Amino acid sequence: MYNAGKVITGIIIFLIIVLSPFWYNGLTGKTAYVPLLKVPDTAKQCVESTQYMKENHMELLNSWKETAVRQGKKTYTAKDGKTYGINLTGTCIKCHANKEEFCDKCHNYAGVKSYCWDCHNYPKTGAWEQKTAGSRK
Amino acid sequence: MNRREFLKVAGLSLAGLTGWQTFNLLSGGAFAKSLPGVQNSVQKQWGMVVNMEACSRKAGCNDCIDACHRIHNVPDLNSPKDEVKWIWTASYDKVFAEQDHAFSNKGLKNRQIIVLCNHCENPPCVKVCPTKATWKREDGIVMMDYHRCIGCRYCMAACPYGARSFNWKNPRPFIKEINQDFPTRTTGVVEKCNFCEERLAKNLLPACVEACEEKALTFGDLNAADSELRRILNTKFSIQRKPHLGTQPKVYYTV
C-alpha cells in the first residue's frame, strides 16, 4: 500500500477519537450506571412480582385501562389473589408516591416518554402540579 | 350429484340454519339478545328525569353544575368560544325549540333548563366515531374513552344537543382545584358527561342528583318497573329533547 504507515496511524487515531466517549465511560465506570430507584418503604411487594413488574408494567397498565374504562370493571385480582382498585393515581402512585424518583427516573434512563400524566394526576412536592403544557398533539 | 340432489341438500342446509336461529330467537338465546331492540331483562338501563318546576324554585342555583364540574375537573375557561361543559343551562325556547310558540307561557319561555348528555338509545355520536372512542355500554351509558379520542370532532357535529366540548387549550390551568381522584383531560380531546359512571361503580348516585337540594333530578333504572324514575314517568307528563330525531334520549323532563 502506498503510504501505509501514515494511513494506518491515521485510522488508529481516528478510531481513538471516535470511540473516546466509550473509553471514557468504560474507564470511569459509567457504563455500569443504572438509575437508583426510590422504592416505597410503605410496602414490600408490588401488585405483581418485581420481575414481572419490571418486564410487564406497561402491558399491565394497558390492560387496566381497557378493563376499567371499556369493560367497567374497577378491581384487579393479582396472581397471589390480592385485589387492587384499578387506578393509576390511586393505586400505583399511592405507593410509588415519588413518581420523579421512580417512574420518571427509569423512563428517562430508558428513553421512554409516557403521556399519561397530561391527564392523570400525581402529587408534586405536596401540591398538585398544574402547569405542564398538557398537549399530546 | 345432479342438479336435483344439489337443490335438495342446499334447501335443507338453509332450513337448518334459519331453524336454529328461529329456535334461538324464540328461546331467548344469545342470538336473540344480540339483536337490537331485544332487551335483556336483567340489564340495567340508566335514565334521568328532570322536574323543571322544582329545578326553577331557587333562582340562579347552580349546585348540580358546580358539583359535577368540581369532581370531574371540568375547566372554567370563561369564554363561550372555548367553553367546556358536562351539565349546563339553556333557556326553554332553546332547549325545547319545537315546543315553544309565539304565545307560550312567558315564565316558561325564559326559564333556564338544566341540560346534559342524553345518553341516547340511538346515539349519533357513536355512529360517526372513527376510533370507537365513544360507544354505548350495555347499561345505556354513552361512554368516552379519552385514550382513544383523536380529536376529530365528528361526534360534536353529530350530536344534536351540543353535549360535547372540545379542549382547545390545556385545561389544567383553568381548574380551580384539581380533584386527584379523576383524571383531567388534555388539549385535543372531546369530553362530555359520563352519567357518573365512576360513582355508579361505587353504588353512589350521580353528583348532580346528589347535589340538588330541591330533589329536581331523579336517577334510576328504566328497566326496573318499581323504580322511582319509572313511577314518575308513569304518573306525570314527560317530554324529551328533539324526540323527532329518533335518538331516544334517556333524560326526560316533567313540566
Side-chain angles (χ1 to χ4, degrees), chain B residues 66-242:
Chain B
D66 292 344
C68 168
H69 287 186
R70 192 175 61 245
I71 74 158
H72 293 121
N73 291 326
V74 177
D76 180 9
L77 288 143
N78 208 357
S79 125
K81 202 170 113 270
D82 301 331
E83 187 182 37
V84 175
K85 53 200 180 0
W86 284 28
I87 177 169
W88 71 104
T89 58
S91 60
Y92 176 86
D93 57 342
K94 300 255 162 42
V95 176
F96 294 108
E98 66 283 337
Q99 302 274 344
D100 187 46
H101 52 78
F103 307 103
S104 46
N105 179 322
K106 275 261 164 45
L108 194 60
K109 220 180 173 84
N110 298 321
R111 194 184 279 173
Q112 290 296 306
I113 311 290
I114 206 85
V115 279
L116 64 155
C117 170
N118 281 301
H119 296 276
C120 304
E121 183 62 31
N122 295 314
C125 53
V126 168
K127 277 194 200 129
V128 298
C129 179
T131 60
K132 291 217 167 114
T134 192
W135 81 101
K136 199 175 102 195
R137 303 199 327 180
E138 287 196 344
D139 59 6
I141 295 182
V142 177
M143 265 291 272
M144 265 301 291
D145 184 344
Y146 299 99
H147 309 98
R148 284 206 196 179
C149 179
I150 56 169
C152 71
R153 289 172 282 141
Y154 285 7
C155 56
M156 293 177 70
C159 176
Y161 308 105
R164 290 172 166 271
S165 314
F166 186 67
N167 283 281
W168 292 101
K169 287 185 184 154
N170 172 22
R172 281 192 175 169
F174 301 94
I175 303 168
K176 261 183 229 87
E177 199 177 334
I178 290 188
N179 167 22
Q180 315 168 8
D181 298 332
F182 200 83
T184 66
R185 269 71 58 201
T186 182
T187 320
V189 295
V190 171
E191 62 181 86
K192 68 165 196 78
C193 154
N194 64 351
F195 248 8
C196 279
E197 168 275 330
E198 83 284 4
R199 287 172 60 91
L200 295 176
K202 294 187 206 151
N203 275 327
L204 294 168
L205 277 173
C208 55
V209 177
E210 201 180 83
C212 181
E213 280 169 14
E214 300 294 332
K215 306 259 172 287
L217 307 174
T218 309
F219 183 85
D221 179 7
L222 288 163
N223 277 352
D226 56 351
S227 64
E228 173 70 2
L229 178 69
R230 281 284 295 278
R231 194 192 59 75
I232 296 173
L233 292 176
N234 215 0
T235 50
K236 287 201 176 162
F237 174 71
S238 58
I239 52 180
Q240 293 163 300
R241 290 183 69 194
K242 306 189 183 174

Side-chain angles (χ1 to χ4, degrees), chain A residues 60-70 86 115, chain B residues 145 147:
Chain A
L60 181 79
L61 282 175
N62 195 37
S63 84
W64 271 28
K65 179 178 81 187
E66 294 287 306
T67 325
V69 179
R70 297 201 79 89
I86 295 189
Y115 59 83
Chain B
D145 184 344
H147 309 98

Side-chain angles (χ1 to χ4, degrees), chain A residues 116-127:
Chain A
C116 314
W117 314 106
D118 287 355
C119 297
H120 289 268
N121 305 306
Y122 65 95
K124 191 181 187 185
T125 54

